Amino acid sequence: MLSRNSNLFQAIIVGIVGLLLIFLHGRIDLLNWVSIAVGLMFVLPSLYVLCSSIGSKQRLPGGISFVSVGGIILGLLMCIFPEAFAGFFVYVFAALLIIFGIYHIVDLASWNKSVKFPFYFYIIPILMVATGIVILCTSLRDINSIVVLVTGIALVASSFNSIMEYVGTRKSKLIVSDDRDELGN
């Protein structure tokens, strides 16, 4: 399991991404830019691997070159035709909300053995899962910019919830370690 400090770092990053989505939700072409950015994330590493394998003295498996060419082609298509992939990212955002909500519910349940969280800590993760399901069931034309705003709000709320979990579990660890010190352990 990851350490609590990495969960705090993850919560801060998720909060920053959520704030960016909230501030940029009004941009009509935001999902196109997301598509272009992801396309570049395919193209650049694939080009690097392809160039490295061509210039390498070691014989690399043929599959690496094939995968690199596929990554370059997919990335270029995402950069050239971002509108075609923008709808896909709506579903990615919905899946992200569902997965992140379930993760928080499971994380809270795993801590429930040592730390008793109040019921309201479960509200935000449950709402995230419900929002993701609603987004999946809504047509793409109706939610192109709304999904970005909703995802941003949900990520900020999730980040806040994670930080509160971190603070709650940190206090319980301090109490447990103080009790151990008093007992001489």
Side-chain angles (χ1 to χ4, degrees):
M1 178 172 247
L2 296 174
S3 72
R4 284 288 146 200
N5 287 336
S6 67
N7 283 350
L8 178 63
F9 180 72
Q10 175 188 5
I12 291 169
I13 296 298
V14 166
I16 291 170
V17 169
L19 287 173
L20 284 172
L21 289 175
I22 290 170
F23 291 133
L24 298 175
H25 85 280
R27 295 196 49 125
I28 296 171
D29 59 348
L30 180 63
L31 291 177
N32 292 344
W33 285 105
V34 169
S35 178
I36 291 169
V38 172
L40 289 174
M41 285 188 246
F42 276 105
V43 169
L44 296 177
S46 297
L47 273 174
Y48 175 77
V49 169
L50 188 62
C51 291
S52 296
S53 67
I54 291 172
S56 176
K57 292 180 182 178
Q58 285 184 335
R59 181 82 176 138
L60 296 175
I64 290 178
S65 299
F66 181 72
V67 170
S68 296
V69 170
I72 291 169
I73 292 170
L74 178 63
L76 287 175
L77 287 173
M78 292 177 85
C79 291
I80 295 169
F81 305 110
E83 300 86 18
F85 293 93
F88 171 74
F89 288 109
V90 170
Y91 294 118
V92 170
F93 286 156
L96 178 73
L97 290 176
I98 293 169
I99 291 169
F100 215 58
I102 292 171
Y103 167 78
H104 275 291
I105 292 168
V106 170
D107 195 41
L108 282 169
S110 70
W111 275 101
N112 209 10
K113 296 172 186 141
S114 60
V115 178
K116 294 290 183 189
F117 287 108
F119 76 93
Y120 54 84
F121 273 84
Y122 291 92
I123 293 173
I124 291 175
I126 290 170
L127 288 175
M128 288 177 66
V129 171
T131 303
I133 291 171
V134 168
I135 290 172
L136 285 176
C137 296
T138 308
S139 71
L140 286 176
R141 289 183 197 147
D142 298 337
I143 58 171
N144 205 8
S145 70
I146 295 172
V147 72
V148 176
L149 177 64
V150 170
T151 302
I153 292 169
L155 290 179
V156 169
S158 174
S159 174
F160 177 76
N161 204 36
S162 294
I163 291 170
M164 297 311 295
E165 290 171 22
Y166 176 82
V167 169
T169 56
R170 185 168 171 85
K171 285 182 180 179
S172 72
K173 283 184 178 181
L174 291 174
I175 292 170
V176 169
S177 66
D178 287 344
D179 290 343
R180 288 184 183 161
D181 291 340
E182 289 176 6
L183 295 173
N185 291 335

